[in-house]
Amino acid sequence: MTEPIAPGWAPTRALGRSVLLTGLLLLLGVALGRVDLVLLAAPFAIGAALNLRRTPQSVPEVTITADAAHLVEGGAVQAGLTVANPEAIGYDLVVVRTKTSPWLRLEHADRPFAITVPSDGWAAIDLPGEARRWGRQDVGPAAARAAACGGLLTCRPVVTPAHGVRVYPVTEPFKATESMPAAAGLVGAHRSRRLGEGGELAGVRQFAPGDRLRRIDWRVSLRTRDLHVASTLSDRDAEVLILLDLLGEVGLSGGVEGSASVLDTTVRAAAAIAEHYLHRGDRVSVLEYGAGGRRLRAGSGRKQYLTVLEWLLDVRADPVDEEYEPVLGAHHISTSALVVVLTPLIDPRSADMLAKLTQAGRYTVAVDTLPEDAAPPVRNQWSPLATRLWRIERENVLGRLREHGVPVVAWAGAGSLDLVLRDVARMASAPRGR
């Protein structure tokens, strides 16, 4: 006696042909009085009955596994699929197929896998590969279909949701040796303009109650016959605001070893700048300039660095209508913060934003993230001329920004901001007219 077919399982065409052929041979044997036809039908009937005496009651279980460790662009990915059989009946054949993100290069992930799974067992499929680009990438969804009972029953496709893999941007080598234009924290590595405990000499003054004896300048004291002490500038931390211009995207991303789009350069540069200043003990915050306007509050330390990397995974190009002006007021930015604006400067609103921040007295540095070979798409014979005019107009915008006191520098990794930080620090220390 055969068991009823459980939900999730269906008869295959092989079972249908077996039943049809058995019934046809029996009908012809009885009608024509042919015993040989009945004997021919017996193997089909007996084979189907033996295979269906025990039928599976549940479908296979498919699990997607992937690395949960800190994965960076260009790093190795260890992904895999596991098919489990909770039944006491083995699966004759299981066909498994999965989709993957185009930025995860997994071996043989573009073809189906055929495996057998024993009763109350499991089988694993390894999918090693490489992460090609930052972002939240997916392994899956995966689908599996099993055949059992000698191929007479097959389950309906079992689909498993995708498993997310976080690929963090690679941090290009970056360092800035110039001092910050303003340091207003409590403790840190930057020279401030306030007197206090530090290593930078500010001058010599008369001794006052509370001064430390080791600060006494004996040469000046002996010459003037009054106690004098050396005063120093305090060392404090600074706040760095990384502003991401997401109004436009230019170029095609080729992954970690290919060409970089504006968004790729922006995210990688933001990660490198944040890593540098957080390593020095400064406070770093991140802000989007676009329709979304996401913001990450200022913080310091390794925890803030990991938070910045996680926050950058969700950065997307956020173009908005020309009539819409993203809300970004100078009152949202601390007066002592260094504002590093990562922008391709292809939208007039970006240049206006930079000019307004500088006019409001914020220490602003513009980092040009436009690729050198970027150009509008070629549509007709007038495209080269239009490209030249576009480049001339953009150079004019850069010149006007510099006239307004906005330093603009192209992103080039290590030392990119040294020259402009020197100019900003010089302007910050210059006396302001009243």
Side-chain angles (χ1 to χ4, degrees):
M1 183 176 179
T2 61
E3 296 182 0
I5 299 177
W9 291 84
T12 62
R13 293 182 178 180
L15 179 58
R17 289 192 294 266
S18 178
V19 173
L20 177 61
L21 186 57
T22 300
L24 183 60
L25 289 175
L26 290 176
L27 181 62
L28 291 176
V30 173
L32 300 177
R34 299 276 302 273
V35 179
D36 56 338
L37 295 179
V38 177
L39 294 177
L40 286 175
F44 296 100
I46 295 173
L50 290 176
N51 284 312
L52 295 176
R53 70 186 186 278
R54 296 178 62 188
T55 59
Q57 301 298 312
S58 58
V59 296
E61 301 172 356
V62 183
T63 306
I64 301 176
T65 58
D67 282 338
H70 189 87
L71 182 60
V72 184
E73 290 177 293
V77 183
Q78 294 295 333
L81 303 173
T82 303
V83 181
N85 179 8
E87 291 286 337
I89 303 174
Y91 296 146
D92 301 323
L93 179 67
V94 181
V95 178
V96 188
R97 188 156 195 171
T98 181
K99 292 183 178 180
T100 59
S101 169
W103 299 113
L104 293 179
R105 184 181 295 173
L106 304 181
E107 295 182 6
H108 309 303
D110 57 342
R111 65 176 179 84
F113 295 87
I115 58 176
T116 58
V117 184
S119 59
D120 198 18
W122 56 274
I125 301 172
D126 293 329
L127 297 174
E130 182 184 11
R132 304 292 301 164
R133 188 174 184 258
W134 58 272
R136 300 186 186 275
Q137 315 299 347
D138 288 333
V139 179
R145 194 167 187 178
C149 299
L152 300 180
L153 295 181
T154 180
C155 72
R156 294 178 175 84
V158 179
V159 180
T160 300
H163 182 88
V165 177
R166 293 174 294 183
V167 182
Y168 296 107
V170 61
T171 54
E172 302 178 10
F174 171 77
K175 61 180 180 180
T177 58
E178 286 298 319
S179 59
M180 299 290 287
L186 298 178
V187 294
H190 301 289
R191 184 190 65 192
S192 72
R193 286 176 288 178
R194 297 182 181 181
L195 299 178
E197 295 295 328
E200 188 73 18
L201 182 64
V204 179
R205 59 174 176 79
Q206 285 191 345
F207 181 86
D211 287 337
R212 297 186 179 183
L213 296 180
R214 63 185 180 88
R215 293 288 186 181
I216 295 177
D217 190 327
W218 292 107
R219 295 181 59 184
V220 178
S221 300
L222 292 174
R223 187 173 64 249
T224 60
R225 296 183 181 278
D226 290 323
L227 285 178
H228 283 71
V229 294
S231 61
T232 57
L233 297 175
S234 61
D235 294 333
R236 298 170 180 256
D237 66 345
E239 180 180 349
V240 179
L241 170 62
I242 304 175
L243 184 57
L244 310 182
D245 180 6
L246 304 180
L247 294 182
E249 166 71 318
V250 178
L252 296 176
S253 176
V256 66
E257 297 178 356
S259 59
S261 65
V262 166
L263 197 62
D264 289 340
T265 304
T266 299
V267 171
R268 292 166 185 163
I273 295 173
E275 180 185 28
H276 170 75
Y277 285 110
L278 288 172
H279 181 71
R280 299 187 63 176
D282 297 321
R283 289 167 288 116
V284 174
S285 60
V286 193
L287 176 63
E288 288 182 352
Y289 183 66
R294 293 190 308 141
R295 179 162 192 163
L296 178 64
R297 297 180 60 183
S300 60
R302 178 168 177 79
K303 181 179 180 181
Q304 179 71 0
Y305 173 61
L306 297 177
T307 305
V308 170
L309 292 181
E310 191 77 19
W311 191 90
L312 289 174
L313 295 182
D314 297 319
V315 171
R316 299 290 183 272
D318 199 8
V320 294
D321 297 334
E322 295 182 359
E323 295 79 9
Y324 177 79
E325 181 70 24
V327 179
L328 177 62
H331 60 281
H332 295 141
I333 300 175
S334 173
T335 56
S336 61
L338 171 65
V339 184
V340 181
V341 184
L342 301 172
T343 173
L345 288 172
I346 57 177
D347 194 300
R349 291 167 293 185
S350 302
D352 294 340
M353 176 264 295
L354 287 170
K356 291 178 181 178
L357 289 178
T358 304
Q359 292 172 359
R362 302 301 185 266
Y363 306 110
T364 306
V365 174
V367 179
D368 188 2
T369 57
L370 187 70
E372 295 182 359
D373 56 349
V378 177
R379 301 184 184 276
N380 50 44
Q381 68 273 18
W382 301 106
S383 295
L385 180 59
T387 300
R388 290 183 57 188
L389 294 175
W390 172 73
R391 290 190 178 277
I392 293 174
E393 177 63 25
R394 189 171 182 274
E395 290 298 327
N396 291 336
V397 172
L398 296 179
R400 289 196 297 269
L401 286 175
R402 293 188 177 99
E403 291 176 357
H404 281 80
V406 181
V408 182
V409 61
W411 174 253
S416 297
L417 305 184
D418 275 347
L419 293 178
V420 294
L421 283 180
R422 186 182 308 164
D423 296 337
V424 173
R426 186 182 301 114
M427 290 186 295
S429 60
R432 300 184 180 182
R434 296 184 178 179

